[in-house]
Amino acid sequence: MSKKASYRQPNLFFEIIKGLGANKLTSALLVVILASSLTLVQITHLARGQLIEQDSLLQQRDELDLEWRYLLVEEEFYSQHARIEEVAISQLKMKRPTSQDEQVIILQ
């Protein structure tokens, strides 16, 4: 290409800048669009982070609920009369008192 041909071709970047400089409203709208798009990306990122946190908290709640149900079943098992009597006999070596072992105290 000759030197004249290169001067006739406009530089696209500089032409865009000239056009934006000439029209202030277009420049302002471009800035607002860029700012709102960056804000949208940031808000979307934060929302996804909160959804992930919510999912983990819901999973933790379900695990705690399941553990609580197991503890209720275990509490019921250990509070049964037959179980208490079995532990008293086997581990504590307790027995029911007979009538000979009973003593009557009379209060006046």
Side-chain angles (χ1 to χ4, degrees):
M1 288 189 167
S2 68
K3 203 172 191 183
K4 285 185 178 182
S6 67
Y7 284 124
R8 281 194 270 162
Q9 292 178 346
N11 191 342
L12 185 60
F13 179 72
F14 289 123
E15 290 298 321
I16 291 173
I17 296 299
K18 282 182 192 178
L20 290 176
N23 193 347
K24 303 288 186 202
L25 179 62
T26 306
S27 300
L29 289 176
L30 180 63
V31 169
V32 169
I33 289 171
L34 288 175
S36 66
S37 64
L38 290 175
T39 304
L40 177 67
V41 168
Q42 182 68 22
I43 289 173
T44 303
H45 174 71
L46 293 174
R48 286 181 181 165
Q50 288 178 346
L51 282 174
I52 290 170
E53 183 180 357
Q54 181 187 18
D55 286 343
S56 68
L57 289 174
L58 288 174
Q59 183 178 4
Q60 183 181 9
R61 182 195 68 180
D62 291 342
E63 290 171 1
L64 289 173
D65 186 48
L66 186 62
E67 183 181 352
W68 177 70
R69 289 174 190 223
Y70 284 142
L71 288 173
L72 284 178
V73 169
E74 187 177 352
E75 178 187 23
E76 187 174 330
F77 172 74
Y78 284 123
S79 67
Q80 291 177 354
H81 181 71
R83 170 76 179 144
I84 294 172
E85 188 174 354
E86 176 188 334
V87 169
I89 292 171
S90 64
Q91 293 179 2
L92 300 176
K93 307 293 187 228
M94 296 176 81
K95 62 178 183 175
R96 289 199 175 268
T98 61
S99 60
Q100 297 168 351
D101 295 332
E102 291 179 4
Q103 293 181 359
V104 176
I105 299 175
I106 301 175
L107 295 174
Q108 295 181 7

